[in-house]
Amino acid sequence: IALRYLNERVVMPGETFSYNDAIGDTTAAKGYKPAATFKGGTVVNEMGGGICQTTSTLYNVALMANLEIVERHQHGLPVGYVPPSRDATVYSPTLDFKFKNNRNYPIKIVTSYSSSGSLNISIYGTKEETEYEVVLSHKYLSTIPFTTKYIYDNTLPEGTTQIVSAGVNGYTSEGYITKKLNGVVVSSELLSKDTYKAQQQIVKVGTKK
């Protein structure tokens, strides 16, 4: 649904594109459903959960197209669908993803989605005299080990345990953008340094005798 609102969007030269403005409210009336969302350091179900996969994909495509990133926010917890420091989260109206068309000609966003789960976003435009090859990379800096919280449950037999939520290590990372012209590196810059908190493991411990 989010891809449908992004598809065929034209961004004029000098114009700033806002993801939140493009897709609007993620309501049930528009077909959205509750899904996993990071909130307060944990995972909850909220209407429109999952749209950050489209935002993160658009972020990467905008970088590859050498467009100017105006606003980007990292997730609070690790995500598995893009490399470290290559994600972009949104949470209307406070968190948005924006980029500026800093090229000389209009650009167009084209999206598609297959039933197999393939999400695709392309940006089309007119070639300019100088076009850079963009290389994106990242580096892990440190690991943040997850902790375990135990919940005692008198409905489970004594001596048994049940994992309610698996723990996921957090980490700190950096993302970089390198630009080449005719195969020669002309610039290499830090995109962001990010900290992703660990997701706590929750285990039920049986106390029923």
Side-chain angles (χ1 to χ4, degrees):
I1 296 170
L3 287 176
R4 204 156 57 219
Y5 283 102
L6 295 176
N7 193 35
E8 301 291 334
R9 289 273 177 171
V10 173
V11 186
M12 301 302 290
E15 182 183 353
T16 296
F17 172 89
S18 161
Y19 181 91
N20 286 345
D21 287 349
I23 71 164
D25 295 330
T26 54
T27 61
K30 292 166 69 174
Y32 288 97
K33 296 181 180 180
T37 301
F38 293 154
K39 193 172 185 180
T42 187
V43 180
V44 299
N45 269 2
E46 280 199 356
M47 194 65 68
I51 61 169
C52 289
Q53 294 188 42
T54 63
T55 326
S56 296
T57 304
L58 183 59
Y59 173 51
N60 281 260
V61 177
L63 288 172
M64 293 168 66
N66 198 23
L67 298 171
E68 179 185 338
I69 306 303
V70 176
E71 181 179 349
R72 171 259 175 187
H73 304 274
Q74 66 158 96
H75 285 81
L77 299 173
V79 297
Y81 45 78
V82 286
S85 292
R86 296 260 295 277
D87 62 306
T89 186
V90 290
Y91 196 83
S92 184
T94 53
L95 303 180
D96 197 358
F97 169 66
K98 297 178 181 179
F99 68 83
K100 182 179 180 179
N101 180 6
N102 52 348
R103 299 172 65 87
N104 296 321
Y105 304 99
I107 57 173
K108 182 168 72 171
I109 301 169
V110 177
T111 70
S112 64
Y113 178 78
S114 73
S115 57
S116 64
S118 175
L119 179 160
N120 302 283
I121 299 179
S122 301
I123 292 179
Y124 290 88
T126 302
K127 282 191 175 182
E128 299 183 0
E129 185 176 346
T130 302
E131 291 289 354
Y132 295 97
E133 175 192 352
V134 175
V135 179
L136 304 177
S137 58
H138 67 275
K139 180 171 68 177
Y140 284 100
L141 300 179
S142 64
T143 300
I144 304 172
F146 69 82
T147 58
T148 301
K149 178 182 179 181
Y150 295 96
I151 300 174
Y152 296 98
D153 190 331
N154 60 12
T155 65
L156 292 177
E158 188 178 24
T160 62
T161 59
Q162 184 182 81
I163 297 177
V164 178
S165 178
V168 179
N169 287 334
Y171 53 82
T172 58
S173 60
E174 289 179 344
Y176 309 92
I177 183 168
T178 301
K179 299 175 186 178
K180 297 180 180 180
L181 188 61
N182 300 320
V184 179
V185 174
V186 295
S187 68
S188 188
E189 300 174 13
L190 174 70
L191 280 171
S192 64
K193 181 175 181 179
D194 305 292
T195 299
Y196 302 89
K197 296 178 182 178
Q199 185 173 322
Q200 189 176 51
Q201 178 172 258
I202 300 176
V203 179
K204 282 186 178 182
V205 178
T207 58
K208 184 179 179 181
K209 297 184 182 294

